[in-house]
Short mmCIF file of all heavy atoms in Angstrom, two decimals:
data_model
loop_
_atom_site.label_atom_id
_atom_site.label_comp_id
_atom_site.label_asym_id
_atom_site.label_seq_id
_atom_site.Cartn_x
_atom_site.Cartn_y
_atom_site.Cartn_z
N PRO Q 129 8.91 -126.91 23.12
CA PRO Q 129 10.09 -126.47 23.87
C PRO Q 129 11.37 -127.23 23.52
O PRO Q 129 12.46 -126.68 23.63
CB PRO Q 129 9.69 -126.71 25.34
CG PRO Q 129 8.61 -127.73 25.28
CD PRO Q 129 7.87 -127.48 24.01
N LEU Q 130 11.25 -128.51 23.11
CA LEU Q 130 12.44 -129.30 22.81
C LEU Q 130 13.17 -128.78 21.57
O LEU Q 130 14.38 -129.02 21.42
CB LEU Q 130 12.07 -130.77 22.64
CG LEU Q 130 11.50 -131.47 23.89
CD1 LEU Q 130 11.17 -132.92 23.57
CD2 LEU Q 130 12.51 -131.39 25.05
N ARG Q 131 12.45 -128.12 20.69
CA ARG Q 131 13.06 -127.60 19.46
C ARG Q 131 13.34 -126.10 19.55
O ARG Q 131 13.73 -125.48 18.55
CB ARG Q 131 12.15 -127.89 18.27
CG ARG Q 131 11.92 -129.38 18.00
CD ARG Q 131 11.06 -129.56 16.78
NE ARG Q 131 11.67 -128.96 15.60
CZ ARG Q 131 10.98 -128.46 14.57
NH1 ARG Q 131 9.66 -128.46 14.60
NH2 ARG Q 131 11.61 -127.94 13.54
N TYR Q 132 13.12 -125.51 20.71
CA TYR Q 132 13.24 -124.05 20.85
C TYR Q 132 14.63 -123.55 20.42
O TYR Q 132 14.74 -122.61 19.63
CB TYR Q 132 12.97 -123.66 22.31
CG TYR Q 132 13.00 -122.18 22.59
CD1 TYR Q 132 11.99 -121.34 22.13
CD2 TYR Q 132 14.05 -121.61 23.33
CE1 TYR Q 132 12.00 -119.99 22.40
CE2 TYR Q 132 14.08 -120.25 23.60
CZ TYR Q 132 13.05 -119.45 23.14
OH TYR Q 132 13.06 -118.10 23.40
N ALA Q 133 15.67 -124.19 20.93
CA ALA Q 133 17.03 -123.74 20.63
C ALA Q 133 17.41 -123.96 19.17
O ALA Q 133 18.21 -123.19 18.62
CB ALA Q 133 18.03 -124.45 21.54
N THR Q 134 16.85 -124.99 18.54
CA THR Q 134 17.20 -125.27 17.14
C THR Q 134 16.35 -124.45 16.16
O THR Q 134 16.80 -124.16 15.05
CB THR Q 134 17.00 -126.77 16.84
OG1 THR Q 134 15.65 -127.15 17.13
CG2 THR Q 134 17.96 -127.61 17.66
N VAL Q 135 15.14 -124.08 16.57
CA VAL Q 135 14.28 -123.27 15.69
C VAL Q 135 14.70 -121.81 15.73
O VAL Q 135 14.89 -121.17 14.69
CB VAL Q 135 12.80 -123.41 16.09
CG1 VAL Q 135 11.93 -122.40 15.34
CG2 VAL Q 135 12.30 -124.83 15.82
N LEU Q 136 14.88 -121.25 16.93
CA LEU Q 136 15.21 -119.83 17.08
C LEU Q 136 16.71 -119.66 17.30
O LEU Q 136 17.17 -119.33 18.40
CB LEU Q 136 14.40 -119.23 18.23
CG LEU Q 136 12.91 -119.07 17.95
CD1 LEU Q 136 12.16 -118.65 19.20
CD2 LEU Q 136 12.67 -118.05 16.85
N THR Q 137 17.45 -119.91 16.25
CA THR Q 137 18.90 -119.70 16.30
C THR Q 137 19.20 -118.21 16.10
O THR Q 137 18.32 -117.42 15.73
CB THR Q 137 19.59 -120.50 15.20
OG1 THR Q 137 19.11 -120.05 13.92
CG2 THR Q 137 19.31 -121.99 15.34
N ASN Q 138 20.45 -117.83 16.34
CA ASN Q 138 20.84 -116.43 16.14
C ASN Q 138 20.61 -115.99 14.71
O ASN Q 138 20.23 -114.84 14.44
CB ASN Q 138 22.31 -116.23 16.52
CG ASN Q 138 22.53 -116.31 18.02
OD1 ASN Q 138 21.59 -116.18 18.81
ND2 ASN Q 138 23.77 -116.55 18.43
N GLU Q 139 20.86 -116.89 13.75
CA GLU Q 139 20.66 -116.55 12.34
C GLU Q 139 19.18 -116.31 12.04
O GLU Q 139 18.83 -115.37 11.32
CB GLU Q 139 21.19 -117.67 11.44
CG GLU Q 139 22.71 -117.82 11.43
CD GLU Q 139 23.22 -118.50 12.70
OE1 GLU Q 139 22.40 -119.10 13.44
OE2 GLU Q 139 24.44 -118.42 12.96
N VAL Q 140 18.32 -117.12 12.60
CA VAL Q 140 16.88 -116.96 12.38
C VAL Q 140 16.39 -115.65 13.00
O VAL Q 140 15.62 -114.90 12.38
CB VAL Q 140 16.09 -118.15 12.96
CG1 VAL Q 140 14.59 -117.86 12.98
CG2 VAL Q 140 16.38 -119.41 12.17
N ILE Q 141 16.86 -115.35 14.21
CA ILE Q 141 16.44 -114.12 14.89
C ILE Q 141 16.91 -112.89 14.11
O ILE Q 141 16.13 -111.95 13.89
CB ILE Q 141 17.00 -114.09 16.32
CG1 ILE Q 141 16.37 -115.22 17.14
CG2 ILE Q 141 16.72 -112.74 16.99
CD1 ILE Q 141 17.04 -115.44 18.48
N ALA Q 142 18.20 -112.91 13.67
CA ALA Q 142 18.70 -111.77 12.87
C ALA Q 142 17.92 -111.63 11.58
O ALA Q 142 17.60 -110.50 11.14
CB ALA Q 142 20.18 -111.96 12.58
N GLY Q 143 17.55 -112.79 10.95
CA GLY Q 143 16.77 -112.75 9.72
C GLY Q 143 15.38 -112.18 9.93
O GLY Q 143 14.87 -111.41 9.09
N MET Q 144 14.75 -112.54 11.05
CA MET Q 144 13.42 -112.02 11.35
C MET Q 144 13.48 -110.51 11.60
O MET Q 144 12.60 -109.76 11.15
CB MET Q 144 12.84 -112.74 12.57
CG MET Q 144 12.52 -114.20 12.32
SD MET Q 144 12.00 -115.09 13.82
CE MET Q 144 10.38 -114.42 14.08
N GLY Q 145 14.53 -110.05 12.29
CA GLY Q 145 14.68 -108.62 12.53
C GLY Q 145 14.85 -107.84 11.23
O GLY Q 145 14.23 -106.79 11.04
N LEU Q 146 15.66 -108.38 10.33
CA LEU Q 146 15.87 -107.71 9.03
C LEU Q 146 14.59 -107.71 8.21
O LEU Q 146 14.27 -106.73 7.53
CB LEU Q 146 16.99 -108.40 8.27
CG LEU Q 146 18.41 -108.22 8.83
CD1 LEU Q 146 19.40 -109.08 8.06
CD2 LEU Q 146 18.82 -106.75 8.76
N ALA Q 147 13.83 -108.82 8.26
CA ALA Q 147 12.58 -108.91 7.51
C ALA Q 147 11.56 -107.89 8.00
O ALA Q 147 10.87 -107.23 7.21
CB ALA Q 147 12.02 -110.33 7.61
N VAL Q 148 11.47 -107.75 9.32
CA VAL Q 148 10.53 -106.78 9.91
C VAL Q 148 10.91 -105.36 9.49
O VAL Q 148 10.05 -104.55 9.12
CB VAL Q 148 10.52 -106.91 11.44
CG1 VAL Q 148 9.83 -105.72 12.09
CG2 VAL Q 148 9.82 -108.20 11.85
N THR Q 149 12.20 -105.05 9.55
CA THR Q 149 12.67 -103.71 9.17
C THR Q 149 12.44 -103.44 7.70
O THR Q 149 11.93 -102.38 7.32
CB THR Q 149 14.17 -103.57 9.50
OG1 THR Q 149 14.38 -103.84 10.88
CG2 THR Q 149 14.65 -102.17 9.17
N ALA Q 150 12.79 -104.41 6.85
CA ALA Q 150 12.63 -104.24 5.40
C ALA Q 150 11.16 -104.09 5.03
O ALA Q 150 10.81 -103.25 4.19
CB ALA Q 150 13.24 -105.43 4.66
N ARG Q 151 10.30 -104.88 5.66
CA ARG Q 151 8.87 -104.77 5.37
C ARG Q 151 8.35 -103.36 5.64
O ARG Q 151 7.62 -102.78 4.82
CB ARG Q 151 8.09 -105.76 6.23
CG ARG Q 151 6.59 -105.74 5.98
CD ARG Q 151 5.79 -106.56 6.97
NE ARG Q 151 5.71 -105.93 8.28
CZ ARG Q 151 4.81 -106.27 9.21
NH1 ARG Q 151 3.94 -107.23 8.96
NH2 ARG Q 151 4.79 -105.67 10.38
N SER Q 152 8.78 -102.79 6.76
CA SER Q 152 8.29 -101.46 7.14
C SER Q 152 8.70 -100.42 6.11
O SER Q 152 7.86 -99.63 5.65
CB SER Q 152 8.83 -101.08 8.52
OG SER Q 152 8.44 -102.02 9.49
N PHE Q 153 9.97 -100.40 5.74
CA PHE Q 153 10.45 -99.36 4.86
C PHE Q 153 9.98 -99.56 3.42
O PHE Q 153 9.69 -98.59 2.72
CB PHE Q 153 11.98 -99.27 4.93
CG PHE Q 153 12.48 -98.62 6.18
CD1 PHE Q 153 12.86 -99.37 7.28
CD2 PHE Q 153 12.53 -97.24 6.30
CE1 PHE Q 153 13.31 -98.77 8.45
CE2 PHE Q 153 12.98 -96.62 7.46
CZ PHE Q 153 13.36 -97.39 8.54
N ILE Q 154 9.89 -100.81 2.96
CA ILE Q 154 9.47 -101.06 1.58
C ILE Q 154 7.99 -100.75 1.38
O ILE Q 154 7.59 -100.07 0.42
CB ILE Q 154 9.77 -102.53 1.19
CG1 ILE Q 154 11.28 -102.74 1.09
CG2 ILE Q 154 9.09 -102.88 -0.13
CD1 ILE Q 154 11.69 -104.19 0.90
N ILE Q 155 7.15 -101.22 2.30
CA ILE Q 155 5.70 -101.00 2.15
C ILE Q 155 5.35 -99.52 2.24
O ILE Q 155 4.46 -99.03 1.54
CB ILE Q 155 4.92 -101.82 3.19
CG1 ILE Q 155 5.02 -103.31 2.86
CG2 ILE Q 155 3.46 -101.40 3.26
CD1 ILE Q 155 4.27 -104.21 3.82
N LEU Q 156 6.04 -98.78 3.10
CA LEU Q 156 5.70 -97.38 3.31
C LEU Q 156 6.48 -96.43 2.42
O LEU Q 156 6.23 -95.22 2.44
CB LEU Q 156 5.92 -97.01 4.78
CG LEU Q 156 4.93 -97.65 5.75
CD1 LEU Q 156 5.34 -97.39 7.19
CD2 LEU Q 156 3.52 -97.13 5.51
N PHE Q 157 7.39 -96.95 1.61
CA PHE Q 157 8.20 -96.09 0.73
C PHE Q 157 7.34 -95.22 -0.20
O PHE Q 157 7.66 -94.05 -0.41
CB PHE Q 157 9.16 -96.95 -0.08
CG PHE Q 157 10.06 -96.15 -0.98
CD1 PHE Q 157 11.15 -95.46 -0.47
CD2 PHE Q 157 9.81 -96.09 -2.35
CE1 PHE Q 157 11.97 -94.71 -1.31
CE2 PHE Q 157 10.61 -95.34 -3.19
CZ PHE Q 157 11.70 -94.66 -2.67
N PRO Q 158 6.23 -95.74 -0.77
CA PRO Q 158 5.42 -94.89 -1.66
C PRO Q 158 4.66 -93.79 -0.95
O PRO Q 158 4.19 -92.84 -1.61
CB PRO Q 158 4.44 -95.89 -2.30
CG PRO Q 158 5.00 -97.24 -2.05
CD PRO Q 158 5.74 -97.14 -0.76
N LEU Q 159 4.50 -93.86 0.37
CA LEU Q 159 3.61 -92.95 1.08
C LEU Q 159 3.97 -91.47 0.89
O LEU Q 159 3.08 -90.66 0.55
CB LEU Q 159 3.59 -93.31 2.57
CG LEU Q 159 2.32 -92.96 3.35
CD1 LEU Q 159 1.11 -93.63 2.74
CD2 LEU Q 159 2.47 -93.38 4.81
N PRO Q 160 5.24 -91.06 1.08
CA PRO Q 160 5.55 -89.63 0.86
C PRO Q 160 5.27 -89.17 -0.57
O PRO Q 160 4.83 -88.03 -0.78
CB PRO Q 160 7.05 -89.55 1.18
CG PRO Q 160 7.32 -90.72 2.05
CD PRO Q 160 6.41 -91.81 1.57
#
Side-chain angles (χ1 to χ4, degrees):
L130 296 180
R131 298 182 59 209
Y132 183 71
T134 57
V135 171
L136 289 172
T137 61
N138 289 342
E139 291 76 15
V140 169
I141 295 169
M144 293 174 72
L146 290 174
V148 167
T149 303
R151 181 189 73 163
S152 301
F153 285 96
I154 291 172
I155 290 180
L156 290 172
F157 182 76
L159 207 58

